[in-house]
Structure formats: C-alpha cells, structure tokens
Amino acid sequence: MIEIEHCLEDVKKLLKKPIVLVGMMGVGKTTVGRQLAAKLGWTFYDSDDEIVRSVGKSISDIFSEDGEPAFRDLERTTIKHLLANGPCVISSGGGGITIPETAQAIKERSLCLWIDASVPLLVERTAGGDRPLLKHGDPEEVLQMLLDKRRSSYAQAHVHALDDGLTPEEMTNRILLQIREYLYSHATEKEKEEFVPDALCMTVSLSDRSYPIFIGSGLLKEPELWLPHELHGRDTFILTDYNVRERITDQFQEILKPIMKSVSVMELAPGEQTKSFERYQAVLEWMIESGVKRDSLIIAVGGGVVGDLAGFAAATILRGIDFIQVPTTLLSQVDSSVGGKTGINSKSAKNMIGAFYQPRSVVIDLDTLMTLPKREWLSGYAEIVKYGLIADEGFFEWLEEHGLLMLSGETAEAMRAIETSCHMKAEIVHKDEREESGLRALLNFGHTFAHALEAAAGYDGTLLHGEAVSVGMVLAARLSQRLGYLVQDDVNRIYNHLSGLGLMTEIRNIPFKKPVTADELIETMHKDKKAGVDGIKFIVLRRIGSAAVEAGVSTETVKNILEESMR
Ligand SMILES: NC(=O)c1ccc[n+]([C@@H]2O[C@H](COP(=O)([O-])OP(=O)(O)OC[C@H]3O[C@@H](n4cnc5c(N)ncnc54)[C@H](O)[C@@H]3O)[C@@H](O)[C@H]2O)c1
C-alpha cells in the first residue's frame, strides 16, 4: 500500500519554500491548491483573490476598466509579496508566469509546479464560468491559442504535473508524488541516505503527448493512482509473455476487470524472436477478431520485447490506439518503456520496422522485479551504467559503490537507479523525441556494436540485449580511447565495473553457435538504421559522463577493436 502520508512527511521535511501552482484557467489550481495546502498544513493563497481584496474590484472589472497590463502589474507585486511568506501554497493566475519578472521571482523563490491538462478537459472545466479571456470567440479555440502561447512559459516550472481527468483528491496526491520526485532527484547524497520513497511520479514532457511515469512498490495493486479516468471502462488487450503471465499478469488482470469493460490477454513466447513480423501479425489479427475499436486500450505487461511489440501494435492498429507500458524487467523499466520507440526486428537487423509512439503512462512496479532471474538483472544493469557513462559521472561513481547492492534487489538502491535512469531518459526524450538533434542518439552508446553482436548470435537467447550492450560499451570505450578522447584509466574503470559485477565484456565470451568474423559484424553495422550516408555512426565518450556522435571512423580501427575482443 502506497502511503501518501509518508509522501507528505517527506515534502514537509525537505521543502522550505512556497509551492506556486501555474497553468491554464480551469486546470484546478485553486481547488487542488486548497487541498494541497490543507494536507500539508500550510496556508493557501490565491493570487487573484488577493488582488481582488486589495483593489476592491473583480478581475473582470480590472480587465475591462484598467486593461490587462494594469492587471499583470498588480499580479506581479502581489505574487512577489506572497512569495515572502515561507512554506505555503500559492495559486497564480493563468498568465502570471508569462511576465518575465514575475516568472523569475517565482522560479527563484518557490517550487513552481505546472498543472497541465488537455484543451478538451479545460473546455469542460471552464464551461459556464466568468472568465474574461473566454468572453469572446469559441472557448476551445481561445484555450488552444492561449495554451500554445503560454506553453513555453509554463514549461519553466520546476515540476510538470499532468491532470488526465483526475478528481481534485487524486490530483493532489499525484502532485505530492511529483514534488517528492523532484525533491528526491535534487536531494544531496546525505539527504538521500535517509530518503527512501515508496512511490514517485515524473512527467515525460512532450507537448500534448506528455505522460506520467510512476515508480513504486505495489503500484499495480493501486490503479487509482495511475489509470486515468478517461481510460476506465474500455476494452483492454493485455500483451504479456509466458514467464510473466502467472507471476504478474493473471493477478493484474483480476485487478483491472472491475474497472474495464473487458480485459483479454494474449500470451506470447518469451524472447527476442517474438519481435517478429509473424508475431506482430498474430497480435493484430487477435485484436481485430476480438473487436478492437478506436477507444480500446493495449497494456504491455512484460519486458522490452513485449513492450516494443505492443507499442508497435498500438501505433499501427486502427492508425493508433492508447497504450500503457507496465515494464517488468529492469531493462524495460529503465529504458525501453520510456520514450516511445516501438518496433520489431527484420530477419537481418534489429528494430528495423517501427514507429515513434508514446504511451499514455508508464507504470514501474518494483515488486515485479522480485521474480526476475539474475541474468536479466545484469542485462538491465548495463543500460543503467550507460546513463552514467554518457551523461552523469556522479551517477557512475554511485553505481561503482552501490551497484552490487542494487543488483541484490535492495529497494532503496533499485529505486535510486531506476528513478535516475528514467529521469535522464525523460529529459533526453523531451529535448529530442525523434532523435533529430543528436542528443537522443547518445542513448545508443555501445548499441552499434551490440546490435551487430545480437544479430550474429541469432536472437535466440544466446545473448541478451543488455549483455550485448555491456560488451558494446566496452568496445565503444576502447574506440573512444583510440580516437584520442578517453584516457586508458577510464576505459579500465568501465571494464572493471562491468566485469566486476559479472557482466559480459568481451566478444570471445559470447557463446555464438557458429563462428563470426569482424568483417561480418561490420557488414551488419552498415545495415544498422543509425548508419548514414557517411558510414556507421558511433557514440563515443569524451570522458566519463560526456558523450558525442562520431562519424567517419575508419573500418580498420573498428576491425582492430573487434578482433582484439575476439582473441
Ligand atoms: N524501445 C526502446 O527504446 C528500447 C530500449 C532498449 C531495449 N529495447 C528492446 O528491449 C528488448 C529487451 O528487453 P528485456 O531485456 O526486457 O527482454 P525481454 O522482454 O525478453 O525479457 C527478458 C526475460 O525476462 C522475462 N521476464 C520479464 N519480466 C519478468 C519478471 N518480472 N519475472 C521473471 N521473468 C520476467 C521474460 O519472459 C524474458 O524471458 C530488446 O528487444 C531491445 O531491443 C528497446
């Protein structure tokens, strides 16, 4: 059972400044703000009410008699004044944060939280009200226009919380989980020693495709925390695999039955071979025969294989239906379930057929990891190490110290590693959703080598994805060193960390069924979808914690590195 009381205690203990709620009119800043303040035992202020009180006129009258600029001036001074109050909850008017001076004061002196909701929901909530900006024109168009105009101002908030049709009580709880995530991710090492949250929530911010990621123990038993109301009562298709079915899915199906119209389950064979045209077709035919509709919901319950296939099915059936990711392997929890890359393999190369298609939410229940075999833990761990190597040396150092505990399933360490990984992935996906600026490509560190090794091993369980990534990262670190970026000591550090924990680090350790040559691997790399006109692109490390894309690497250099690891 997730205890919101514990969450409240954490927020009260660690947050020493006001919470300022920003967002569009109708999003519930006042109602939710009041509840939040009541739960925290703090005072609630509504900046609009304070203005009305001080001027003695309604907001509508200030707008019509004095004009919007005069109102914004009053708002700026009122908010500045309220910010001096210490811990409290302030609901600011919808446009306040669009004024640079007001925005700066809010950002510097509070924890600013953006409550975000879809335009249809805002239309519903503002209907019949007395909103000056909605007096003229079609409310939907006006709200859309205002949201488009203000989105970048709201996005300055420290926390982005999504209201997908929640009640005020549910939204208040979600906000608490999100504030706690923010505090956790910004806590000092010392604070983190005592701070072991049982549940957290963060948002992948992608305009109208934004979605929450929930992380916690026992979440699957509490759908009220993560299942949006608008998805209730739908025909639901769960995709899962044989290993997960009895352990997790059967019980989960029973939990969903009273909430959904129907809940059907398709059990797939475990393993990479399931990401195939044949299985993809079988999934689509099953759903079509079962009467899938535009408002049906797909839930992926399983590892990255089930998630990638289910996501691709969701992206393509009826030109796209809603789907939720319930990742049950460490690898899928820290990587594949977040970011919207979905797809299947071709016979000769990985992930060649697919789509960018974001889920409606990601639900990471740490309890599902209890039955995960050790080999799968290690496989997922490789992707965790990747985040440290490409973007956060401090996290890599933490892994060097705590990796063993994490792999033994310690909840505190697992929470820390999963939260940090998801946070980084959400950040990268927010900035480069479709891998266009080069930033998201950095997540492929080690993957050009890994994908070639996986293809050579034949997707039959001989080599797991994370195992291939582990070998691939060692090879990519050596490449970085040959190119003059990484010092040998850092290559050794990476190698020692991975091998010390029992991860695979050399090609010669892979039990290929038939021998493979460096030339064959290089040929496969050329087929990789990341290869461009100027040849294979590699992600290299400039140092631990900083990565870059490198094109034009000589085939000779790559071949030497591969052969060295084969000998
Ligand atoms: N979409 C992306 O962005 C992305 C990113 C990284 C990896 N991937 C893909 O993810 C796939 C690998 O994912 P994976 O490592 O999760 O593999 P997987 O889905 O094959 O799962 C690994 C094994 O663990 C079993 N399993 C799953 N959950 C379990 C549980 N809780 N208890 C016991 N057994 C459990 C599965 O049945 C399977 O045998 C690859 O296809 C890879 O290409 C995708």
Side-chain angles (χ1 to χ4, degrees):
M1 181 81 182
I2 286 153
E3 298 285 354
I4 289 295
E5 281 306 315
H6 294 164
C7 190
L8 276 168
E9 282 161 26
D10 290 338
V11 174
K12 279 199 276 197
K13 193 162 127 201
L14 291 164
L15 188 62
K16 301 287 174 219
K17 49 188 176 183
I19 297 169
V20 173
L21 303 178
V22 300
M24 292 284 287
M25 64 183 92
V27 87
K29 296 186 293 288
T30 305
T31 318
V32 170
R34 272 188 216 290
Q35 287 215 11
L36 186 60
K39 284 195 186 218
L40 288 164
W42 293 356
T43 311
F44 172 75
Y45 300 98
D46 182 316
S47 66
D48 282 357
D49 288 352
E50 298 298 315
I51 294 168
V52 171
R53 193 168 317 146
S54 69
V55 184
K57 277 195 220 182
S58 73
I59 302 289
S60 254
D61 288 347
I62 303 175
F63 262 76
S64 59
E65 291 168 22
D66 310 321
E68 187 172 342
F71 172 76
R72 295 292 168 214
D73 259 0
L74 283 169
E75 184 176 52
R76 178 173 47 80
T77 42
T78 307
I79 289 177
K80 272 192 171 174
H81 180 71
L82 293 174
L83 284 170
N85 278 327
C88 64
V89 178
I90 304 167
S91 159
S92 87
I97 198 170
T98 60
I99 309 300
E101 207 187 316
T102 314
Q104 198 184 343
I106 291 178
K107 277 190 292 177
E108 281 173 11
R109 292 198 246 145
S110 77
L111 184 141
C112 178
L113 186 139
W114 170 21
I115 307 185
D116 186 14
S118 68
V119 169
L121 192 63
L122 295 176
V123 172
E124 200 181 301
R125 296 226 180 117
T126 49
D130 177 30
R131 312 266 179 176
L133 294 173
L134 293 186
K135 283 200 170 139
H136 310 286
D138 171 33
E140 183 165 353
E141 276 172 24
V142 176
L143 285 164
Q144 186 65 61
M145 189 264 297
L146 277 176
L147 181 57
D148 291 343
K149 214 163 107 189
R150 291 175 179 176
R151 198 188 299 275
S152 59
S153 301
Y154 293 150
Q156 301 172 72
H158 303 106
V159 179
H160 178 192
L162 289 172
D163 181 347
D164 33 29
L166 303 180
T167 63
E169 167 79 11
E170 289 165 341
M171 191 60 204
T172 308
N173 290 345
R174 181 173 294 182
I175 285 176
L176 283 165
L177 292 177
Q178 294 224 208
I179 294 179
R180 187 202 237 174
E181 194 275 334
Y182 177 85
L183 295 171
Y184 183 68
S185 64
H186 288 77
T188 60
E189 277 307 317
K190 203 165 159 13
E191 282 167 342
K192 274 188 179 163
E193 276 168 24
E194 294 170 27
F195 189 3
V196 186
D198 59 354
L200 298 168
C201 177
M202 69 182 89
T203 300
V204 184
S205 298
L206 290 170
S207 182
D208 57 357
R209 296 176 313 291
S210 300
Y211 55 95
I213 303 173
F214 299 90
I215 309 174
S217 296
L219 275 174
L220 292 187
K221 295 196 188 99
E222 300 192 51
E224 61 281 3
L225 275 180
W226 53 264
L227 187 69
H229 283 240
E230 69 170 289
L231 300 184
H232 288 199
R234 299 212 185 171
D235 286 317
T236 305
F237 296 90
I238 296 182
L239 292 180
T240 192
D241 77 20
Y242 169 79
N243 290 332
V244 182
R245 173 94 190 235
E246 267 186 34
R247 293 180 168 114
I248 300 159
T249 316
D250 285 345
Q251 202 194 349
F252 181 56
Q253 183 184 15
E254 292 310 311
I255 292 167
L256 287 183
K257 272 183 185 167
I259 311 170
M260 306 312 248
K261 187 167 164 206
S262 67
V263 188
S264 323
V265 177
M266 182 174 197
E267 181 185 297
L268 299 151
E272 192 65 36
Q273 283 170 341
T274 286
K275 268 172 66 173
S276 66
F277 261 121
E278 293 73 23
R279 285 299 94 204
Y280 166 65
Q281 185 179 2
V283 167
L284 295 196
E285 295 297 355
W286 168 64
M287 287 195 288
I288 292 165
E289 277 163 28
S290 313
V292 64
K293 294 182 212 61
R294 287 302 308 272
D295 69 352
S296 298
L297 174 70
I298 294 183
I299 306 186
V301 185
V305 164
V306 169
D308 281 9
L309 173 64
F312 187 47
T316 47
I317 197 154
L318 304 178
R319 298 202 178 89
I321 65 171
D322 287 324
F323 94 109
I324 289 179
Q325 289 272 20
V326 178
T328 63
T329 60
L330 184 59
L331 187 139
S332 55
Q333 297 188 346
V334 298
D335 195 354
S336 62
S337 64
V338 176
K341 277 194 184 178
T342 70
I344 55 174
N345 303 325
S346 87
K347 285 212 163 52
S348 54
K350 284 252 319 178
N351 300 332
M352 291 299 278
I353 304 116
F356 283 102
Y357 195 66
Q358 302 294 345
R360 290 292 306 268
S361 59
V362 178
V363 187
I364 298 174
D365 188 336
L366 302 186
D367 291 356
T368 61
L369 296 177
M370 284 193 298
T371 55
L372 195 68
K374 170 99 191 328
R375 191 177 166 204
E376 298 294 344
W377 272 89
L378 281 170
S379 174
Y381 187 78
E383 298 278 17
I384 295 177
V385 171
K386 176 187 77 180
Y387 290 107
L389 294 180
I390 63 167
D392 186 345
E393 185 177 11
F395 183 48
F396 181 67
E397 271 170 25
W398 181 83
L399 289 171
E400 286 181 308
E401 208 176 308
H402 297 86
L404 201 57
L405 270 178
M406 203 248 125
L407 284 168
S408 67
E410 284 296 324
T411 314
E413 276 71 19
M415 175 56 106
R416 168 91 180 257
I418 293 169
E419 187 273 343
T420 308
S421 304
C422 287
H423 199 95
M424 274 196 234
K425 180 130 190 207
E427 208 45 49
I428 291 174
V429 170
H430 160 64
K431 291 184 182 145
D432 182 20
E433 182 184 7
R434 298 175 74 91
E435 211 165 303
E436 287 161 342
S437 75
L439 181 65
R440 186 165 182 173
L442 304 183
L443 290 169
N444 298 321
F445 176 63
H447 281 58
T448 304
F449 289 109
H451 286 165
L453 294 169
E454 282 184 273
Y459 308 134
D460 61 356
T462 306
L463 180 67
L464 301 179
H465 178 67
E467 291 170 340
V469 169
S470 176
V471 179
M473 289 195 297
V474 170
L475 301 179
R478 286 178 186 153
L479 176 65
S480 310
Q481 190 266 335
R482 299 282 152 90
L483 296 173
Y485 298 129
L486 203 60
V487 294
Q488 186 60 43
D489 278 356
D490 281 345
V491 179
N492 296 345
R493 215 175 134 193
I494 296 167
Y495 178 91
N496 290 340
H497 180 58
L498 294 169
S499 66
L501 289 174
L503 271 137
M504 216 181 263
T505 42
E506 302 288 2
I507 301 177
R508 61 179 161 275
N509 301 134
I510 302 171
F512 289 114
K513 299 228 168 40
K514 53 180 192 324
V516 58
T517 66
D519 287 330
E520 283 161 354
L521 291 173
I522 291 171
E523 202 185 315
T524 314
M525 287 182 206
H526 279 288
K527 284 192 210 141
D528 194 279
K529 60 187 186 313
K530 274 127 208 150
V533 276
D534 49 352
I536 310 167
K537 288 196 175 87
F538 289 92
I539 310 304
V540 291
L541 295 183
R542 297 200 179 270
R543 55 177 175 78
I544 291 180
S546 169
V549 181
E550 184 85 9
V553 178
S554 85
T555 307
E556 214 36 47
T557 309
V558 178
K559 192 168 169 180
N560 281 342
I561 287 169
L562 290 170
E563 285 180 343
E564 201 181 286
S565 181
M566 287 169 162
R567 277 196 291 273

